[in-house]
Amino acid sequence: MAQEIQKENNDHLVQSSDPEHPANLIPDLCRRFYNWGWVTGTGGGTSIRRDNHIFIAPSGVQKEMMKSDNIFVLEFPTPKYPPSDRKYIRKPLDLKPSACTPLFLAAFERGAGCCIHTHSQWAVLVTLLVEREKGPNAYFEISNIEQIKGIPRGKGKGMMGFYDTLRIPIIDNTAFEEDLTGSLEKAMEEYPDTYAVLVRRHGIYVWGDDVVKAKTQCESLDYLFQLAVEMHKLGLPWVKET
Amino acid sequence: MAQEIQKENNDHLVQSSDPEHPANLIPDLCRRFYNWGWVTGTGGGTSIRRDNHIFIAPSGVQKEMMKSDNIFVLEFPTPKYPPSDRKYIRKPLDLKPSACTPLFLAAFERGAGCCIHTHSQWAVLVTLLVEREKGPNAYFEISNIEQIKGIPRGKGKGMMGFYDTLRIPIIDNTAFEEDLTGSLEKAMEEYPDTYAVLVRRHGIYVWGDDVVKAKTQCESLDYLFQLAVEMHKLGLPWVKET
Amino acid sequence: MAQEIQKENNDHLVQSSDPEHPANLIPDLCRRFYNWGWVTGTGGGTSIRRDNHIFIAPSGVQKEMMKSDNIFVLEFPTPKYPPSDRKYIRKPLDLKPSACTPLFLAAFERGAGCCIHTHSQWAVLVTLLVEREKGPNAYFEISNIEQIKGIPRGKGKGMMGFYDTLRIPIIDNTAFEEDLTGSLEKAMEEYPDTYAVLVRRHGIYVWGDDVVKAKTQCESLDYLFQLAVEMHKLGLPWVKET
Amino acid sequence: MAQEIQKENNDHLVQSSDPEHPANLIPDLCRRFYNWGWVTGTGGGTSIRRDNHIFIAPSGVQKEMMKSDNIFVLEFPTPKYPPSDRKYIRKPLDLKPSACTPLFLAAFERGAGCCIHTHSQWAVLVTLLVEREKGPNAYFEISNIEQIKGIPRGKGKGMMGFYDTLRIPIIDNTAFEEDLTGSLEKAMEEYPDTYAVLVRRHGIYVWGDDVVKAKTQCESLDYLFQLAVEMHKLGLPWVKET
């Protein structure tokens, strides 16, 4: 693959003094996510699309220490190569691209501007509780909590309401992160309005129309997962009984 | 509504080098509240009254990223217009005013100098536990905990004592935040000494005579709610049995 | 009492560019304690003795915002005046002295160099669990946890060992903090080797030969209280059964 | 032992403007570990090997306040002297060497580049739960959690897979930290692929080929211990039943 990297390696694509530039935003976001415990131990990842470029955090680095120089860049739209042939237009020579890349691409192909992947323990616990309580094909659902209003009802459909029931699909984990792509895309088709997919025993993928929406939706979901775990401990049902 | 905004837009009302100016304090407070998990996912809000002006955090922004320039200003006293006619004397053109505005106004009309709205999970869990244990019309109550002394007994009545029972009313949530105004005002009338109202499945409104009092009362209440949830997990009653 | 304040008010006693000066250390410590949740809502306090001066954090201020200028200074040894006659050699004119003062003095009279008072929720929960499980006169005890080695066995007796059982006396809370003095002193007499006294439904007083020892002993105790609460939730006994 | 310290004391060994120098990295890591609650109350420690030098955090200091000047240096390989004869080539005159030293050496002799010792409460709780549920000779084990992939399968064997079962040996605590050396080395022999050993009622030793690997493996393990404790509270088994 090394020969595919352009000589100049397009370092200018990740060099900007603008704090809102994706190559600056990704390290800043990862530092914040690390402090919430979402991406410790090199877990998780983040990707931003801007115009015809996709900026991606690398694999296996300390997320709170990331630098702009560590960012990979792909062209968008990206031809559906198998991962081994994926052509990065900017690639840090000493780092591996994120195994989340095809999953991020699935979100971008559906119009996302930013996609966040966390290993939040609240998300993992919620997937385990749903599996035990409702079976392997069940989704997470919660209703009548104000924070639900932080999640969109679907593209161009406004935000959810307090009385709505939020449903987040859960897919099974796989040995290799890339192999999640098929089931993630299937969940996106079955839940065309969702902005997130939980991965059992693993974490969550959350996306949004832009960076702020992806980040705040990720925060609202994590709030709901933490609340749901505490509610379960206290014997409180997630969906209000009527 | 755009035509109602004065041309000059009174930007000077939110520009000050004084860190104690409300337009500087609100972003600072919101950053702190974000780190406690009270206003993640754009939830919650804060408002300060100074002389005949009310300064209000905008709706739907990342609370930890807020800038003075994002602050709305209303005249006080504020005529009781319906929300759509509410006249801001300073309004960031790209932002929406907070849906909490009429609730903040209710506190200011009762003499508050600052009002804080959080989505604290401890507050939400407490409302759910009270509902299940004591029914939909019950209030939260706790006694014989030192931190209760951080809550005033009522306007000009000094602080609560260790042996006092603190009671915080709980109102039902509504689909639209503005629609809470009626029941919030009713709770304020029924509990004329309260400095806080819990909103079931939503969070809390806390106010105080000034910014420091509102903030420290909010901290004391959140401490008590967290303690109450942990006490419940351990089978410890909130009100000391005698 | 105002007439007792010396005209010059000895402001120089709290003005130093040395970060290790008590008037600089107290605000720094309080900021750290606030971030652990020990002194939110203006709760708790800290006092340092240096030579013949005692430096004390004021009452009722935001602990994370404290400044050197807010510090009270007492002479040491301090004559046993009733609180209303206590003579501060340096007194911020706009602040109230801490109600913890006589309790801090009790520690200093026993040779402490620093005394810390927190409202730690773990400490409060431990006092409630001990009361329910072992009765109103019982102490907290825990054994066979490495962190016990962070607590001294008594003045000049070295540190506790892993197999030792740490015991911390618990006194009943009173309506006014000053009124704790008698039972605190009684607990100090009954447990002459203790460096801490828990106050039921209130928090803890921890002291040490110097600032570092008081702070690290406070951290070790809080670690043990948090662990003890989690052990109780999991049905694990605090003292190892043999 | 004082006479063994070379006059010049080799202060240059801990003086560097390179933030990646071990004498700068150790204080930086300890500050981070303190904020996770792993080394409060002077507990825990960290050591880094570089070329033929071992850099070690001192005993009994506030870990978040450590300075490069506080670091001990040993030659590597280190002759197996009894601790009292151990010869430091750089030694802060006012500090005691860490009791963890022989345990760190055991890791370095097996090829580690960095070894971290924490008193993480999650680690302690996991050792207590394993002892009660499976007996005193049992190890910790967990499977089918994505974060397991943050732990190596063994030297040169790549990382663990999602379906693998991670096993961490648990050794009994001893009165003196040095006395753990024998059982730590025995556990390393019995589990030649492990990068960590839990110490019952005490904490954990984690090592890695270099600083980044030790730190991120420590984070991944702590994530798994916290998750395991929460899973236990919720009645969820640690190893997936098949």
Side-chain angles (χ1 to χ4, degrees):
Chain A
M1 201 153 99
Q3 72 277 19
E4 292 179 353
I5 303 163
Q6 292 170 275
K7 275 219 184 63
E8 68 279 17
N9 198 17
N10 289 317
D11 283 347
H12 71 277
L13 290 176
V14 298
Q15 292 165 341
S16 165
S17 59
D18 176 10
E20 300 296 315
H21 186 282
N24 295 328
L25 274 178
I26 289 175
D28 182 52
L29 289 169
C30 285
R31 239 185 320 274
R32 295 166 187 270
F33 298 163
Y34 178 86
N35 289 329
W36 287 119
W38 292 350
V39 296
T40 55
T42 81
T46 298
S47 181
I48 296 174
R49 179 175 66 75
R50 196 171 72 165
D51 304 329
N52 59 336
H53 290 143
I54 291 172
F55 299 80
I56 314 174
S59 174
V61 304
Q62 297 178 90
K63 293 293 183 283
E64 81 282 19
M65 306 284 203
M66 205 186 295
K67 290 179 171 54
S68 306
D69 187 52
N70 303 151
I71 304 293
F72 285 76
V73 185
L74 271 176
E75 266 186 313
F76 185 81
T78 313
K80 281 233 171 178
Y81 292 120
S84 57
D85 293 339
R86 201 176 290 130
K87 192 174 162 180
Y88 290 91
I89 57 171
R90 201 271 160 176
K91 192 173 180 306
L93 292 173
D94 53 343
L95 295 172
K96 282 194 304 180
S98 172
C100 311
T101 303
L103 300 146
F104 291 148
L105 291 177
F108 294 135
E109 281 155 14
R110 276 151 191 82
C114 175
C115 187
I116 296 165
H117 170 46
T118 86
H119 287 190
S120 162
Q121 297 198 16
W122 308 113
V124 171
L125 289 170
V126 149
T127 67
L128 290 166
L129 289 170
V130 169
E131 184 179 32
R132 185 184 64 189
E133 306 291 323
K134 304 201 294 170
N137 299 315
Y139 39 74
F140 169 75
E141 60 178 349
I142 194 163
S143 80
N144 292 66
I145 299 291
E146 180 71 10
Q147 196 76 32
I148 292 170
K149 290 161 76 174
I151 308 299
R153 202 187 286 273
K155 189 85 174 181
K157 297 181 181 174
M159 305 304 273
M160 295 198 73
F162 172 70
Y163 296 108
D164 291 335
T165 299
L166 172 69
R167 291 190 179 88
I168 307 288
I170 304 176
I171 61 175
D172 267 324
N173 200 23
T174 52
F176 300 99
E177 196 133 13
E178 291 97 339
D179 297 340
L180 288 171
T181 315
S183 55
L184 184 88
E185 290 179 327
K186 190 156 162 282
M188 286 166 159
E189 277 156 38
E190 282 176 26
Y191 295 78
D193 287 334
T194 196
Y195 278 91
V197 173
L198 283 159
V199 185
R200 187 149 29 238
R201 299 174 167 275
H202 180 153
I204 191 166
Y205 281 85
V206 183
W207 58 93
D209 296 345
D210 56 35
V211 172
V212 172
K213 286 180 181 163
K215 169 175 169 289
T216 56
Q217 288 162 206
C218 190
E219 287 174 2
S220 288
L221 286 170
D222 207 61
Y223 171 104
L224 291 166
F225 298 146
Q226 179 175 2
L227 188 70
V229 171
E230 293 296 308
M231 288 171 78
H232 189 92
K233 284 185 194 165
L234 295 160
L236 297 158
W238 295 347
V239 173
K240 201 184 172 199
E241 289 146 357
T242 47
Chain B
M1 202 153 100
Q3 71 277 18
E4 292 180 352
I5 304 164
Q6 293 170 274
K7 274 221 185 60
E8 68 280 17
N9 198 18
N10 289 316
D11 284 346
H12 71 279
L13 291 176
V14 297
Q15 291 164 342
S16 166
S17 59
D18 176 9
E20 301 296 315
H21 186 283
N24 295 329
L25 273 178
I26 289 175
D28 182 52
L29 289 168
C30 285
R31 241 187 318 275
R32 294 166 187 271
F33 299 162
Y34 177 87
N35 289 329
W36 287 120
W38 293 349
V39 296
T40 56
T42 81
T46 298
S47 181
I48 296 174
R49 178 175 66 76
R50 196 170 73 164
D51 304 328
N52 61 335
H53 289 144
I54 291 172
F55 300 80
I56 314 173
S59 173
V61 304
Q62 297 177 90
K63 293 293 183 282
E64 81 282 19
M65 305 285 204
M66 205 186 297
K67 290 179 172 55
S68 306
D69 187 52
N70 303 151
I71 304 294
F72 285 75
V73 185
L74 271 176
E75 265 186 314
F76 184 82
T78 313
K80 281 232 171 178
Y81 292 121
S84 56
D85 293 339
R86 200 176 292 130
K87 192 175 163 179
Y88 290 91
I89 57 171
R90 201 270 161 176
K91 191 174 182 304
L93 292 173
D94 53 344
L95 294 172
K96 282 193 303 179
S98 171
C100 311
T101 302
L103 300 146
F104 292 147
L105 291 177
F108 295 135
E109 282 155 12
R110 277 150 191 82
C114 175
C115 188
I116 297 165
H117 170 46
T118 86
H119 286 190
S120 162
Q121 297 197 16
W122 308 112
V124 172
L125 289 169
V126 149
T127 66
L128 291 166
L129 289 170
V130 169
E131 184 179 32
R132 186 185 62 190
E133 306 290 323
K134 306 203 292 173
N137 298 317
Y139 40 74
F140 169 75
E141 60 178 348
I142 193 163
S143 80
N144 292 67
I145 299 291
E146 179 72 9
Q147 196 75 32
I148 290 170
K149 291 162 75 173
I151 307 299
R153 202 188 288 272
K155 190 86 174 181
K157 298 182 181 175
M159 305 304 273
M160 295 198 73
F162 172 70
Y163 296 108
D164 291 336
T165 299
L166 171 71
R167 293 192 177 85
I168 307 289
I170 304 175
I171 60 175
D172 267 324
N173 201 24
T174 51
F176 300 99
E177 196 132 15
E178 290 96 340
D179 296 340
L180 288 171
T181 315
S183 52
L184 184 88
E185 290 179 328
K186 190 156 163 283
M188 286 166 159
E189 279 156 36
E190 285 176 25
Y191 294 79
D193 287 334
T194 196
Y195 279 91
V197 174
L198 283 159
V199 185
R200 187 153 23 243
R201 300 173 166 277
H202 179 155
I204 192 166
Y205 281 84
V206 183
W207 57 94
D209 297 346
D210 55 35
V211 172
V212 172
K213 286 180 180 162
K215 169 176 168 289
T216 57
Q217 289 162 204
C218 191
E219 288 174 2
S220 289
L221 286 170
D222 207 61
Y223 171 104
L224 291 166
F225 298 146
Q226 179 175 2
L227 189 71
V229 172
E230 294 297 309
M231 287 172 78
H232 189 93
K233 284 185 194 166
L234 294 160
L236 297 159
W238 295 348
V239 173
K240 199 181 173 203
E241 289 146 358
T242 46
Chain C
M1 203 153 98
Q3 72 277 20
E4 292 178 353
I5 303 164
Q6 293 171 274
K7 274 219 184 62
E8 69 280 16
N9 198 18
N10 290 315
D11 284 347
H12 70 280
L13 291 176
V14 299
Q15 292 165 342
S16 166
S17 59
D18 175 8
E20 301 296 316
H21 186 283
N24 295 330
L25 274 178
I26 289 175
D28 182 52
L29 288 168
C30 286
R31 240 186 319 274
R32 294 166 188 268
F33 299 162
Y34 178 87
N35 289 330
W36 288 120
W38 293 349
V39 296
T40 56
T42 83
T46 298
S47 180
I48 296 174
R49 178 174 67 75
R50 198 172 71 164
D51 304 331
N52 60 335
H53 289 144
I54 290 172
F55 299 80
I56 315 174
S59 173
V61 304
Q62 298 178 88
K63 294 292 183 283
E64 81 282 18
M65 304 285 204
M66 205 186 296
K67 289 178 173 55
S68 305
D69 187 51
N70 303 153
I71 304 293
F72 285 76
V73 185
L74 271 176
E75 264 185 313
F76 184 81
T78 313
K80 280 230 169 180
Y81 292 122
S84 56
D85 293 338
R86 200 175 290 129
K87 193 174 162 181
Y88 290 90
I89 57 172
R90 200 270 161 177
K91 192 173 182 303
L93 292 172
D94 53 343
L95 295 172
K96 281 193 304 180
S98 172
C100 311
T101 302
L103 299 146
F104 292 148
L105 290 177
F108 294 135
E109 283 155 13
R110 276 151 191 82
C114 175
C115 188
I116 297 164
H117 171 46
T118 86
H119 287 190
S120 162
Q121 297 199 16
W122 308 113
V124 172
L125 290 169
V126 150
T127 67
L128 291 165
L129 289 170
V130 169
E131 184 178 33
R132 186 184 62 190
E133 306 290 325
K134 305 203 290 170
N137 299 316
Y139 40 75
F140 168 74
E141 60 179 349
I142 193 163
S143 79
N144 293 66
I145 299 292
E146 179 71 10
Q147 196 77 31
I148 291 171
K149 292 161 76 174
I151 307 299
R153 203 187 286 271
K155 190 85 173 180
K157 298 182 181 174
M159 305 303 273
M160 296 199 73
F162 173 69
Y163 296 109
D164 291 335
T165 299
L166 171 71
R167 293 193 176 86
I168 307 288
I170 304 175
I171 60 175
D172 266 326
N173 201 23
T174 51
F176 300 99
E177 196 133 15
E178 291 96 339
D179 296 340
L180 287 172
T181 315
S183 53
L184 184 87
E185 290 179 327
K186 190 156 163 283
M188 286 167 160
E189 278 155 37
E190 284 177 24
Y191 295 78
D193 288 333
T194 195
Y195 279 92
V197 174
L198 284 159
V199 185
R200 189 154 21 245
R201 300 176 167 275
H202 180 154
I204 191 166
Y205 281 84
V206 183
W207 57 93
D209 297 344
D210 56 34
V211 173
V212 172
K213 285 179 182 165
K215 169 177 168 287
T216 57
Q217 288 162 206
C218 191
E219 288 174 2
S220 288
L221 286 170
D222 207 62
Y223 171 104
L224 290 166
F225 299 145
Q226 180 175 3
L227 189 71
V229 171
E230 292 298 308
M231 286 171 79
H232 189 93
K233 284 185 194 165
L234 295 160
L236 297 159
W238 294 348
V239 173
K240 201 183 172 201
E241 290 146 358
T242 45
Chain D
M1 198 154 98
Q3 72 276 20
E4 292 179 351
I5 302 164
Q6 293 171 273
K7 276 220 181 61
E8 67 279 17
N9 198 15
N10 289 317
D11 283 349
H12 71 278
L13 290 176
V14 298
Q15 291 165 343
S16 166
S17 59
D18 176 10
E20 300 296 316
H21 186 282
N24 295 328
L25 274 178
I26 289 174
D28 182 52
L29 289 169
C30 285
R31 241 187 317 276
R32 294 167 188 271
F33 298 162
Y34 178 86
N35 289 329
W36 288 119
W38 293 349
V39 297
T40 55
T42 81
T46 298
S47 181
I48 296 175
R49 178 174 66 74
R50 197 173 70 164
D51 304 330
N52 59 335
H53 289 143
I54 290 174
F55 299 80
I56 314 174
S59 174
V61 304
Q62 297 179 89
K63 293 292 183 285
E64 81 282 20
M65 304 286 204
M66 204 186 297
K67 288 179 172 55
S68 306
D69 188 51
N70 303 152
I71 304 293
F72 285 76
V73 185
L74 271 177
E75 264 185 314
F76 185 82
T78 313
K80 279 230 171 179
Y81 292 121
S84 56
D85 293 338
R86 201 176 290 130
K87 193 176 161 179
Y88 289 91
I89 56 172
R90 201 272 159 176
K91 191 171 181 308
L93 292 172
D94 54 342
L95 294 172
K96 281 194 305 179
S98 172
C100 312
T101 302
L103 301 146
F104 292 149
L105 291 178
F108 294 136
E109 282 155 13
R110 276 151 191 81
C114 175
C115 187
I116 297 164
H117 170 48
T118 86
H119 287 189
S120 161
Q121 297 199 15
W122 308 113
V124 172
L125 290 169
V126 149
T127 68
L128 291 166
L129 289 170
V130 168
E131 183 179 32
R132 186 184 63 190
E133 305 290 322
K134 304 202 292 171
N137 299 314
Y139 40 74
F140 169 74
E141 61 179 347
I142 193 164
S143 80
N144 294 63
I145 299 292
E146 180 70 8
Q147 196 76 30
I148 292 171
K149 291 161 76 173
I151 307 299
R153 203 187 287 272
K155 190 85 173 180
K157 298 182 180 173
M159 305 304 274
M160 297 199 73
F162 172 69
Y163 296 109
D164 291 336
T165 298
L166 172 70
R167 292 191 178 88
I168 307 287
I170 304 176
I171 61 174
D172 266 324
N173 201 24
T174 52
F176 300 100
E177 197 133 13
E178 291 97 339
D179 296 341
L180 287 171
T181 316
S183 54
L184 184 88
E185 290 179 328
K186 189 154 164 283
M188 285 167 159
E189 278 155 37
E190 283 177 25
Y191 294 78
D193 287 335
T194 196
Y195 278 92
V197 174
L198 284 159
V199 185
R200 189 156 18 245
R201 300 175 167 275
H202 180 154
I204 191 167
Y205 281 84
V206 183
W207 57 93
D209 297 344
D210 56 34
V211 172
V212 172
K213 285 180 182 163
K215 169 176 169 286
T216 57
Q217 288 162 206
C218 191
E219 287 174 3
S220 288
L221 286 171
D222 207 62
Y223 171 104
L224 290 166
F225 298 146
Q226 179 174 4
L227 189 71
V229 171
E230 292 298 307
M231 286 171 79
H232 189 92
K233 284 186 194 165
L234 295 160
L236 296 159
W238 295 347
V239 173
K240 200 183 173 201
E241 289 147 358
T242 47

